[in-house]
Amino acid sequence: MLDLVKCDIGYGPRIVLPKLNLTLAAGERVAILGPSGSGKSTLLKHLHQILKSKASFCAQSQTLVDNLSVYHNIFMGALGRHNVLYNIVNLLYPFKQNRQEITQLCLTLELDCELQQQVEYLSGGQRQRVALGRAIYQQQALFLGDEPFSALDPAMGERLLQQVFDAHQSVICVLHDPIMAMKHFDRIILLQEGTKTFDGPATTLSQAHLQACYDHDLSKKASDLPELNPLNQHDPDEYHCVR
């Protein structure tokens, strides 16, 4: 799906992730972790620039249109599937099939508000689910999400993550929650100060790697992490780790 070799990634003249090597294959579920400022969002935006023709994108900023309804914000995910005339008519007189599809999607996302409700009046968690619904409604094989569950409680976040998995062949997410990453993703990439410090199966990620990356912030809840291997004993060929 993607192969980056010694790629300098950043914005403007600033390089945030220098000489990054990264290979991504179709069918993977990849979580990108790291402290604030480590380059997670920069990497995801770069991946979106390359893969946007076949990827849905749920941005951390949500980029919702506040004066439009829940229905129209979610329908924006389908704009590329229809011609301009169709989209204009649907803006004024929403088509029955689209309304039915988006109504069902809202039920799936546990979004209990009226379709005609303007998004500016929604709570943070509701807005995040509208953004998530718009991304899913793009109906792409690849989902790219920048902390798409951060405004939700952990239980709901896990339920909606499963909806994302069900709707996409491949999933790449920046997450603020290492516990969710360890429990539900196959592969984890750790970034720290623009450097990839771990890239491998979630089952081989050690508590030591996480503590080194997050320092004392993670140590407060390290005991909650699922089945971490404290010694990281495994075949060294199972993953690539930059030391």
Side-chain angles (χ1 to χ4, degrees), residues 205-212 218-219 222-223 225 228-232:
L205 180 62
S206 72
Q207 182 173 313
H209 274 105
L210 286 171
Q211 288 179 322
L218 186 71
S219 65
S223 60
L225 292 168
L228 289 171
N229 177 1
L231 297 179
N232 202 16

Side-chain angles (χ1 to χ4, degrees), residues 71-132:
Y71 171 83
H72 285 109
N73 271 275
I74 293 179
F75 179 78
M76 285 179 184
L79 289 177
R81 300 202 299 271
H82 304 289
N83 59 47
V84 175
L85 179 60
Y86 182 101
N87 290 329
I88 292 175
V89 173
N90 181 70
L91 176 64
L92 299 173
Y93 306 103
F95 294 122
K96 181 178 178 180
Q97 180 179 348
N98 297 327
R99 286 185 62 86
Q100 290 175 338
E101 291 174 349
I102 291 174
T103 296
Q104 182 57 50
L105 180 55
C106 287
L107 290 173
T108 300
L109 297 176
E110 305 178 37
L111 190 56
D112 54 349
C113 58
E114 299 294 332
L115 290 186
Q116 64 268 27
Q117 177 73 57
Q118 287 184 334
V119 298
E120 65 179 317
Y121 300 113
L122 300 183
S123 68
Q126 289 173 320
R127 290 174 63 90
Q128 190 165 64
R129 279 172 280 168
V130 172
L132 186 59

